[in-house]
Amino acid sequence: MSLIPIPEDRRFKIKLIGYDPGRSRPWLERFVYSLYVVAFWLFVIATYAGVPALFDWLGWDGGWGYVVMRALQVVMLFLLSAVIALMLILALRKYLGKVQERYGPMHYGPAGGIQTVFDALKLLGKEDFVPAAADWLTFRLAPAVTFVSSFAIFAVVPFASGWTLADSNVGLIYLIAVSTLSAYGVLLGGASSGNKWALIGALRAGAQMVSYEVPLALVFLSVAVWSGSMSLGKIVDAQLGVWNVIPLFIPFVLYVISSLAELKHIPFDFPEAESELIAGYNVEYSGMSFAFFFLAEFVELFLLPALIVVFFFGGWHGPLFGLEPGTLAAGALQSLYFSVKTAVWVWIFLWIRATLPRYRDDQLMEFAWKAMIPLALLGLVLAAYMRLIWR
Amino acid sequence: MSSTIGLEPVLGRSDEMIVNMGPQHPATHGVLRVVIGLEGERITRAVPHIGYLHRNHEKIEESRTYFQVVPFTDRMDYVSGTQNELPVVLAVEDLAGIEVPERAKMIRTMFFELFRIASHLVWMGTAMLDLGAITPFLYTFWDREIILGIVERTAGARMLPNYYTFGGVRRDLHPHFFKDVAEFLDHLEKRMPDYEHLVLENPIVHARTVGVGVLSKERAVARGVSGPVLRASGVAYDVRKAFPYDAYPEVEFEIPTSDAGDTYARFWVRFQEIYQSVKILRQLLEKTPKTGPFKGRAPARLKISGERYRAVENSRGELGVYVVGDGGDKPYRIKHRGAAFSNLQVIPDLFIGAKFSDAIAILSSLDPVFGEIDR
Amino acid sequence: MSLLNEVWQAVKAIGTGMATVHKRVYEEAPTEFYPYVELDLPPVSVQSLALVENEDGTERCIVCLQCERACPSQVISIERHRNPEGKGFLIDRFDIDLVNCMYCSACVEACPVSSIVTIQDFELSTYDLHTLKADIDFLHEQARRSKKWYSPKLGVEIRTEDGRIEKAPPEMQPGGLAELLKPAAEEEES
C-alpha cells in the first residue's frame, strides 16, 4: 500500500448512501416552520394579554406594580425579538434558497429548522474582538444603540386593539426620533472601528439618513393629517372603513421606498454593500456585538413592514366573526390578522432582496431630494384636501 | 505600514483617503489590488497592482516539450478552459506543418464557443454579484454547469480539459454530444429572456451602468484593449473575422458593436455575443460530420524551428502566443498575450473621477481573470 | 408625459424581474446530493490515475517509461530492472505524486499498452498530503476498486461482475457514434 495506508471508512459516501436530508419531506418543513409562527403568536398573546391578566390576578395593577408589569412586557418583547430574528433569518435563507434553485439550510434539525439557533450559539461563542485602532467605548456602545433604537419601535406598535405598550398621542414623533437614532448606531460603529471601509460605510449611512428621513417625516405627516391623530392606535382605528393605502397611495409608495432605505435593505444597502465595502460599518465587529447588529437588522425587518401595515393596510382590522372587541379571543384574532399582513410585507421585502441589484448612494440622495420630497409634499397637500372634502 | 505602494499621500491634502481595494476584496475577482485615493466617494487616483497569482507560466513552458506546454496554458484563463490551448496549438501546427482534418476544426470551434458561453455566463453572474444582486449568479452557474457537464463527457475534465492537441483534439466526441448541445442551446434560449429581465432591462442596472466608465474609441485603441471591451467602444475588431482560424470561415455570425463605450455597452455586447455563439453552435451542429477523423497525423516528437504569432478571440479578447523554436523539442521562448491583462490597462483611465461604487461596476464590466493576468 | 412613461417602464421592468425570480420557486432545484447519492461520472472523466493489471493478475505495464517522459508536471518516477528470465523489464518502483499531478492525462495518452488509465474515483481528499504519494500497490488497488476506466488506445473498459475485463458498449465510448450509426446505415443500404 501507500506510505500511509488509506483507511477504507474514509470513503464517506458508502456510510451515508440512503440518508435523505429532508428535500423530499416538504410537510416536515412546513410543520417545523409553523412552530416558529405559533411561538411568535403565543409570545404576542402572552405579552399583551397574559402579563396584564397575571398582574390583575395578583392585584398589582397600580404604582410600582404597573412599572414591573411594563418591564416584564419589555423582557417578553426582547425574547419575542429573538424569536423574530431566528424566524426571519431562516425565512430569508430558505426563500433565497428556493428562489435561487437551491435548498437553503437543511441539515440541523428537521428540514434545517434549528440552523439559525446554532448560528446564534456560534456567534455567542466567538471572541468579541475590539481592534487596537478602535475607540473602545464608542465601538462597544454602537451595537447597543443600533439594537435599542430598533427595539424601541416595539413600544408604539399596536398588535391588536389596545395591545400596545404605549399608545402615545405623539407616536409618530416618537417613531421619527427613534428611527433616526438607529442611523447613529451605524455611524458611531463605523467611525469608531478604525477601519477605512467601516468609515466609508458610516459616512454612507449618514448620507443615506439625510436622504430618506425628510420624505419619511412628510409621509408621517400626511398619515397624521388624513387620520387626524398621531397615535398609532387611533390611526388604525380610523382605517375601519377603508384602508389608508387607497387615499394615501403616493405616501404609501414613498414610505415603502424609505423603509427599504432605513432598513439598509437591498436596493439601498450602501453602508453594508458587501461587494463594495466588504461589510461596511460592521467589518470589524465579531461575536456578540456583531450578533446585535444582526438582531437589530432583522427586528427592523419585522417592524418596518409592521408599520407599513399599521399606516396603510388597516393594522389589525379584519373580520371578527361576532367576537366582542377587547376580549382575549378577539385580540388573538386581531393580532393574527396583523401578523399575516406583516408577513406578506416581509415576504415582499425578501423578494425585493432576491431580485434587485444595489443602487448608488448619490443616486439615492438625488432620487430622495429631487423626486421623493416633491412627491411627499404633493401627497401631503392631497391628504389635506381630501381630509377637508371627505371628513 | 507600506500599504500605499505607488500612491504616496500628498502632503497638505487631508481630504484624500487612501484605501487598498484588494487583494482580498469581494469584487476584485480574485487578487487584483488597486490602491485608490478617495475624496469622499470620488476616486482621485488609482494604481493597480497585479502579480499575486503569478506562477511563472512562460518560463515553465519553455522548459517543457511542445506536447507538455498545452495543459499548462489551460491554467491561465481558468474560466474559459480550452480557449487558452488554441493559440499554442495553432502556432505549433503552423510551424510544424501539421494538417488538421475539417471535422477536428469544427469540434474545436464548437468547444471554443461553448466555453465562450460558459465564460460569459460566469461574467454575468459575478457582474450582478458586484452590483449587489445575488440571484443571477446562481442561475448562470446552473446553466454553466450544463456546459461543463457536456465538456466533461467528451474531454474528461470540466474546467481545465486539456482537449486540443496538435492536429486536432485528443479524443472523439461522446455519442450524445450533438444531442446534449442541441438540448442545451434550447434550454439557454429559454433562459436568455430571464437574464435580459434581470440584467439588461433592470432600471437599477441602467442607473448604475449607463454613462459610467466611458472608454472612448481612441483611448481603447491606444491602450490595446480587445474583445467585448473594445467592441463596446465602437471598434469592430474580432480575431475570428480579421484573422479567421479553425472553422470560423465556414460559419456566419455578426460582430456586435456599440458606440457608447460605457459599462452598459460592455454588458450589452457580452449578451449579444452569447446570442452569436448560439448561432455559431447551431450552424456547426448541422455542418459537423457525426463521424470521421478527429485528429490529424502529428509526429510523436516535435522538433521546430522558426517563430510564429497566433491569436484567437477568446471570451475576453485577443489571446495570442508568440512561439520561438530553436530546432529542439522544447520552445526557445513562449510569450502569451493576455486579453484580460491588456484590458486591465484601462483601470486608471476609467477609475479616476468615478465614484467608488462605479469602480466596482467598471471592474466587473472588464471581466478580468487573474489566472491569465498574472500568469 | 415621457417622464410618466419612463417611470411606468421602470416599474414594469422591476415587476418583470421580480416575476422572473419568483417563477423559480416552483422549479425543482438541480442540486446533486453528492455524499448521500453516488455521482454518476462519465467514464472518460479524469479524476484519478490507476495501473491496470490483466485478468490473470499479471502486470500490463511494460515499464517503457513513456509516461514518465510525457508528464508535464514530472510527478511520475519509475525505477526498473531487466527481467532476468525473459524479455523486457520489471518494476522496482512506480510512484505518482498525486498532490502535484494536474490530471491532464498526458501519461495515459503516452502509454502504449493502456496500463495507466484514468478512473472516476475523486474521493482521495485527505488531511495528510503524504497519503497522496501513490505507489504501485496503491495504483493497483485503485484499478481493482474501479468498475470502469479509460485509455485512448483501448477506449473505455469495464470490469464485469465475475472479474473479467471487457470493452464497454459504444454508448460509453468516445466516438461510439460511428458504431451506433453503423447498423442504421446498413439497414438503409439493404
Side-chain angles (χ1 to χ4, degrees), chain B residues 15-55:
Chain B
D15 55 346
E16 190 188 54
M17 181 162 81
I18 292 173
V19 294
N20 269 299
M21 195 175 110
Q24 287 101 16
H25 185 284
T28 51
H29 294 254
V31 286
L32 172 66
R33 169 167 163 228
V34 192
V35 187
I36 283 177
L38 277 179
E39 199 182 271
E41 286 269 335
R42 197 170 289 280
I43 294 173
T44 51
R45 297 183 288 168
V47 181
H49 292 269
I50 60 170
Y52 288 90
L53 207 60
H54 180 58
R55 290 150 298 168

Side-chain angles (χ1 to χ4, degrees), chain B residues 233-246:
Chain B
S233 292
V235 185
Y237 172 73
D238 189 323
V239 185
R240 290 177 289 177
K241 286 272 190 197
F243 306 99
Y245 52 94
D246 278 359

Side-chain angles (χ1 to χ4, degrees), chain B residues 165-177:
Chain B
T165 188
F166 309 120
V169 292
R170 272 177 195 271
R171 53 187 78 151
D172 207 346
L173 297 172
H174 189 271
H176 295 161
F177 179 81

Side-chain angles (χ1 to χ4, degrees), chain B residues 1 64 69 112 120 152 178 212 254 258 268 276 299 335:
Chain B
M1 297 263 235
R64 299 289 192 276
V69 165
F112 206 86
H120 283 345
E152 188 188 15
F178 291 94
V212 166
E254 289 143 35
S258 163
W268 182 84
Q276 295 302 326
K335 168 84 180 83

Side-chain angles (χ1 to χ4, degrees), chain A residues 96 99-102 196-197 199-200 204 266-267 274-278 353-363, chain B residues 17-20 25-27 38 41 129-133 135 138-139 142 202 204-205 207-208 355-358 360:
Chain A
L96 280 188
V99 157
Q100 293 166 356
E101 300 196 318
R102 52 193 182 85
K196 288 170 178 175
W197 300 112
L199 181 63
I200 300 174
R204 283 184 175 191
I266 216 50
E274 67 273 26
S275 65
E276 290 165 20
L277 305 181
I278 302 163
R353 185 171 183 148
T355 312
L356 293 182
R358 188 178 303 115
Y359 221 42
R360 211 171 63 202
D361 48 349
D362 60 308
Q363 285 169 335
Chain B
M17 181 162 81
I18 292 173
V19 294
N20 269 299
H25 185 284
L38 277 179
E41 286 269 335
L129 202 60
D130 289 348
L131 290 183
T135 309
L138 276 296
Y139 294 171
W142 280 129
N202 193 317
I204 297 182
V205 173
R208 286 291 303 276
K355 299 270 189 334
F356 182 72
S357 312
D358 290 345
I360 307 290

Side-chain angles (χ1 to χ4, degrees), chain C:
Chain C
M1 238 25 239
S2 70
L3 183 74
L4 271 184
N5 188 39
E6 219 170 273
V7 170
W8 167 240
Q9 292 299 334
V11 170
K12 209 170 76 175
I14 288 180
T16 327
M18 287 173 72
T20 307
V21 162
H22 192 70
K23 206 169 63 189
R24 304 283 183 112
V25 172
Y26 307 105
E27 287 182 17
E28 178 84 9
T31 311
E32 304 226 30
F33 280 77
Y34 154 58
Y36 313 116
V37 179
E38 206 169 346
L39 282 188
D40 186 23
L41 291 174
V44 296
S45 185
V46 187
Q47 305 297 344
S48 188
L49 297 170
L51 214 53
V52 181
E53 293 161 300
N54 287 325
E55 280 172 25
D56 52 5
T58 51
E59 193 67 63
R60 254 194 203 183
C61 177
I62 54 169
V63 214
C64 61
L65 307 188
Q66 289 291 333
C67 49
E68 190 180 9
R69 286 195 203 106
C71 181
S73 310
Q74 299 168 353
V75 296
I76 304 179
S77 61
I78 305 174
E79 283 171 16
R80 63 180 182 181
H81 65 265
R82 219 165 247 294
N83 188 352
E85 287 152 25
K87 287 201 292 179
F89 297 91
L90 292 176
I91 302 174
D92 284 337
R93 194 165 65 83
F94 194 118
D95 286 351
I96 302 182
D97 184 3
L98 290 176
V99 179
N100 291 325
C101 175
M102 59 182 182
Y103 302 98
C104 62
S105 67
C107 48
V108 181
E109 300 274 331
C111 185
V113 292
S114 296
S115 167
I116 186 162
V117 295
T118 57
I119 56 169
Q120 287 78 52
D121 186 354
F122 55 91
E123 294 183 322
L124 285 176
S125 57
T126 169
Y127 289 108
D128 187 354
L129 289 182
H130 295 292
T131 56
L132 286 176
K133 287 221 191 310
D135 62 1
I136 181 137
D137 294 330
F138 181 82
L139 291 169
H140 281 156
E141 183 62 31
Q142 292 263 80
R144 274 182 222 123
R145 213 154 30 196
S146 46
K147 295 274 187 299
K148 53 183 194 275
W149 56 81
Y150 172 76
S151 62
K153 299 276 178 323
L154 294 181
V156 180
E157 290 175 292
I158 47 175
R159 194 189 296 280
T160 53
E161 297 280 318
D162 50 348
R164 285 180 302 111
I165 298 172
E166 281 178 1
K167 200 169 164 60
E171 298 91 61
M172 289 166 78
Q173 300 283 5
L177 203 59
E179 221 162 306
L180 287 172
L181 288 175
K182 214 181 279 169
E186 276 167 12
E187 270 171 36
E188 272 172 30
E189 278 170 22
S190 63

Side-chain angles (χ1 to χ4, degrees), chain B residues 354-371:
Chain B
K355 299 270 189 334
F356 182 72
S357 312
D358 290 345
I360 307 290
I362 291 167
L363 190 62
S364 72
S365 76
L366 296 179
D367 192 16
V369 168
F370 280 83

